[in-house]
Amino acid sequence: MYQLGHYGVALLLYAPIAVWLGLAGEEFVALLGAVICLSFSTLPDCDHSLPFVAHRGITHTIGFVLLVPAVVAGVAYAALEVTMGSPDPVVVGFVYGVTALSLGSHLLADALTPMGITPFWPLSSYHVSLRVTTAKNPVANYALFALGIAASVASIVVVTGGW
């Protein structure tokens, strides 16, 4: 998928978490999570710019989805320690979880394409492709983006109790 498609899938998967947080009175945290989710949703495609790294290779694996959020959570922990003294483990865990969800959404979106992904590499060459649409299909990318935006708007409506 292309950038807008990845944004849409990330927002779609994050929407239930945003509703839960919003209903719990944590609207700011819900918004922060959405920003984190969007920020990391296209990171696996950094492989386009990395020499000697195949597209949809290591950056499109479960290992990447688990390792990168650990680094991001570590940075969040250090930043919170410097600014607040003692980081809240729940906040650090939230950063990890939302980052992992975001990266996982990328893999899910790419699995919709004929090129697919090899999520368990290097442990397995098992290939996942649902062959729903090509990555460059503008209708699919805009449709996924629209679904993500609709899920976000619906989240806001649920949390605020209407328009």
Side-chain angles (χ1 to χ4, degrees):
M1 301 310 298
Y2 283 7
Q3 188 173 21
L4 284 181
H6 285 300
Y7 288 159
V9 174
L11 288 171
L12 188 61
L13 294 180
Y14 181 71
I17 296 167
V19 167
W20 180 73
L21 287 167
L23 292 175
E26 298 291 344
E27 294 89 353
F28 177 78
V29 176
L31 182 58
L32 180 62
V35 170
I36 292 169
C37 200
L38 286 174
S39 297
F40 287 94
S41 65
T42 59
L43 181 64
D45 281 340
C46 71
D47 58 9
H48 286 291
S49 304
L50 298 174
F52 312 111
V53 177
H55 181 51
R56 295 198 186 179
I58 194 166
T59 63
H60 287 68
T61 65
I62 300 297
F64 189 81
V65 169
L66 297 174
L67 180 63
V68 169
V71 172
V72 172
V75 169
Y77 181 92
L80 291 170
E81 188 171 42
V82 167
T83 58
M84 301 180 79
S86 63
D88 183 345
V90 173
V91 172
V92 175
F94 176 73
V95 169
Y96 180 92
V98 173
T99 305
L101 173 78
S102 177
L103 296 172
S105 75
H106 188 103
L107 271 59
L108 174 63
D110 281 352
L112 296 173
T113 69
M115 185 177 178
I117 59 170
T118 309
F120 306 111
W121 182 90
L123 302 175
S124 169
S125 60
Y126 179 73
H127 186 78
V128 178
S129 172
L130 300 175
R131 299 183 180 275
V132 173
T133 182
T134 61
K136 66 182 180 179
N137 182 331
V139 173
N141 279 281
Y142 282 114
L144 287 172
F145 185 63
L147 281 172
I149 294 296
S152 298
V153 170
S155 299
I156 293 166
V157 170
V158 168
V159 170
T160 62
W163 296 104

